[in-house]
Amino acid sequence: SLMQTGVTAGAAEDESALSLREQRVAAEETAVRAQFGALRQKAAQLGAAEALEGERERQLEAHEAALAKRESQLRLFQSQLVQEQKKLWRILQTSPQIARAAAAGSEASPPP
């Protein structure tokens, strides 16, 4: 029965080796699952950061459009102001009495 003992011992070694292999595979599987979970979490974080960046960019674009509109309004206002100043200058040039009164009024009261 020495042979039977040898077969039993060999089978026990095979089972032990198989058990160790199964444990190693299970540990590797656990590690891979953990890495996959970490990668999924990182992907979610990157997606959230990308969405936030997109929102910031939309806000900047809206702000830029508002500034461009204000600049356009300012140019229009400046143009209108120049036109009004030209009209007043023409009136003052054609009427010496108004020009003298305007000059006297500007001397009497200092500009604001």
Side-chain angles (χ1 to χ4, degrees):
S1 207
L2 189 56
M3 185 143 187
Q4 193 176 21
T5 306
V7 170
T8 306
E13 287 177 10
D14 288 343
E15 281 184 37
S16 176
L18 184 60
S19 177
L20 288 173
R21 185 174 175 200
E22 286 175 351
Q23 289 174 359
R24 189 174 61 245
V25 168
E28 289 175 3
E29 183 179 351
T30 300
V32 168
R33 286 181 191 268
Q35 289 174 344
F36 185 71
L39 288 174
R40 227 186 320 187
Q41 184 178 6
K42 185 67 173 175
Q45 289 172 346
L46 289 174
E50 186 176 294
L52 182 61
E53 185 66 28
E55 179 60 29
R56 286 179 184 156
E57 187 158 333
R58 283 187 291 281
Q59 289 174 351
L60 286 174
E61 288 170 355
H63 186 66
E64 183 179 357
L67 284 176
K69 183 178 178 180
R70 287 177 64 193
E71 288 173 345
S72 176
Q73 290 171 337
L74 180 60
R75 282 191 298 274
L76 177 63
F77 177 70
Q78 287 173 333
S79 174
Q80 291 171 342
L81 182 59
V82 167
Q83 293 302 319
E84 291 299 315
Q85 287 174 335
K86 286 179 181 179
K87 287 179 190 177
L88 288 173
W89 182 247
R90 277 189 236 117
I91 291 171
L92 290 175
Q93 285 180 326
T94 59
S95 174
Q97 292 174 342
I98 295 175
R100 282 191 299 272
S106 66
E107 291 173 6
S109 61

